[in-house]
Amino acid sequence: IGGIMITIDGGTGTILHNGTEVASKKMADSWVITSSFTANAGESFITSNWARHSTGQSSAGVIGDAMTESSGVFTFPSTGMYLITTSISGANAGNYFGIKIRGSNDGFSSSDFDLGLSYNSTSSSSQYFEVTAQAIFDVTNVSTHKVKFRYEAQTSTQVNASSSAKRSGVTFIRLGNT
């Protein structure tokens, strides 16, 4: 058809159009923080109460291979480029609150770095906030490339969470091969 060539690599199953990949493996996985908590002033990783979003009317679950989580560290199911979107909601006393997507390429054994971060603030103690951060992470090795989430609060802050509704959590979407 007019010079268009579609091929399937027999070794990998990759579908190519004129040498460019057009149909990579799809994956989407949604996680929630299941219980509200008080974020103390300063910075700390969110290490507990993570669960796959699989309940309630807006449950997302997973498409394709699933992420795994242990003590707040998320491991990717396969190599590739991933879009990571995290949102945290809560209430605070007129101060700032931030969320950081922290990545590692050595499994968090000696280093980690900011992939994405965002801050929000309120003008009084009776106001709510939502803070959202996004990043694209090139996962070239599933044993070493991992992420976790760290908050930064100016003062003690209430983080709102629920096991049945995504008030605070993260979504991972595999965009394509690396």
Side-chain angles (χ1 to χ4, degrees), residues 119-130:
Y119 289 84
N120 201 337
S121 64
T122 60
S123 60
S124 73
S125 61
S126 61
Q127 293 182 325
Y128 293 94
F129 69 88
E130 180 177 13

Side-chain angles (χ1 to χ4, degrees), residues 32-33 35-39 46 50 86-92 97-99 118 120 122 127-133 151 157-162 165-170:
V32 295
I33 299 171
S35 299
S36 296
F37 66 94
T38 299
I46 304 170
W50 288 102
T86 184
S87 292
I88 304 291
S89 66
N92 67 5
F97 183 87
I99 188 69
S118 183
N120 201 337
T122 60
Q127 293 182 325
Y128 293 94
F129 69 88
E130 180 177 13
V131 61
T132 299
Y151 71 78
T157 301
Q158 177 67 29
V159 172
N160 296 328
S162 171
K166 193 168 190 177
R167 297 178 79 184
S168 295
V170 61

Side-chain angles (χ1 to χ4, degrees), residues 33-62:
I33 299 171
T34 59
S35 299
S36 296
F37 66 94
T38 299
N40 295 320
E43 293 190 48
S44 187
F45 286 107
I46 304 170
T47 59
S48 61
N49 298 316
W50 288 102
R52 179 159 290 108
H53 190 199
S54 60
T55 61
Q57 292 181 345
S58 62
S59 65
V62 62

